[in-house]
Amino acid sequence: MVAPPPAATPTEAPTAPPSDQPTGSPSAGPSADPVAAAAVTALQGALGAEHAAVYGYGVVGARLPEDQQRTDARTAYAAHEARRDAWQRLIGSLGATPAAAAAGYQLPFAVTDAAGATKLAAHLETRLTTVYADLVAAVPGPQRGAAADALRDGALRAHRWGAADPAFPGIPEPLPTPTATIP
């Protein structure tokens, strides 16, 4: 990824929030519970990432030939729509208004052929693992299982699309620590 959420930065208004922040109100309603507010904010971020993934898979599918890869892209597209819808319902059940999708998204690179589409799909899924690792850390126990499932699903799809397999998907690799030498 080049910094935007799963493939994209909203292109709507010049005052759009940073790409890793949810669009829409993260408000948890009248409650001032900081844990609930943090969970809703993280859920809004996941919802925004799924909105961008759905958009991105539209681009992916348009650039793939009618073969197994396009079938895989359609399956991923449907999975992201279902996950997006589930987050919308959950956010609504917590008393917040689910963020709407942007009118369009800026892709992290040009996608002009099947190779670019495959690279974008790997990029989308890799970015989602980061979003979902953050979500696992932010939500309370009842929602943590769904967030962990989303993280696992994203990591598996990223692998299928050819992304590198990190030791802990969604968590950046630590920088190497210099080794001390004893004279």
Side-chain angles (χ1 to χ4, degrees):
M1 162 159 214
V2 180
T9 301
T11 58
E12 293 182 330
T15 58
S19 61
D20 286 334
Q21 296 301 312
T23 57
S25 170
S27 168
S31 170
D33 179 4
V35 173
V40 169
T41 298
L43 287 163
Q44 292 280 22
L47 174 59
E50 288 295 353
H51 283 313
V54 167
Y55 178 91
Y57 268 102
V59 174
V60 168
R63 296 292 183 198
L64 292 174
E66 243 345 294
D67 63 5
Q68 185 59 47
Q69 278 193 317
R70 184 174 277 186
T71 300
D72 292 345
R74 284 183 182 130
T75 301
Y77 179 85
H80 288 296
E81 284 184 315
R83 185 91 58 200
R84 174 203 64 200
D85 295 348
W87 295 142
Q88 287 174 326
R89 285 188 301 275
L90 180 58
I91 291 166
S93 75
L94 296 173
T97 302
Y105 293 86
Q106 177 67 45
L107 298 175
F109 48 83
V111 179
T112 59
D113 57 13
T118 300
K119 181 179 171 186
L120 178 58
H123 175 85
L124 290 168
E125 298 298 347
T126 300
R127 180 65 186 114
L128 281 167
T129 63
T130 301
V131 170
Y132 284 126
D134 291 344
L135 185 62
V136 167
V139 295
Q143 290 99 28
R144 194 166 291 140
D149 287 345
L151 172 58
R152 182 198 65 230
D153 293 347
L156 291 172
R157 276 192 297 269
H159 172 78
R160 278 188 227 113
W161 288 110
D165 293 325
F168 297 102
I171 300 173
E173 295 288 331
L175 296 174
T177 54
T179 56
T181 57
I182 300 175

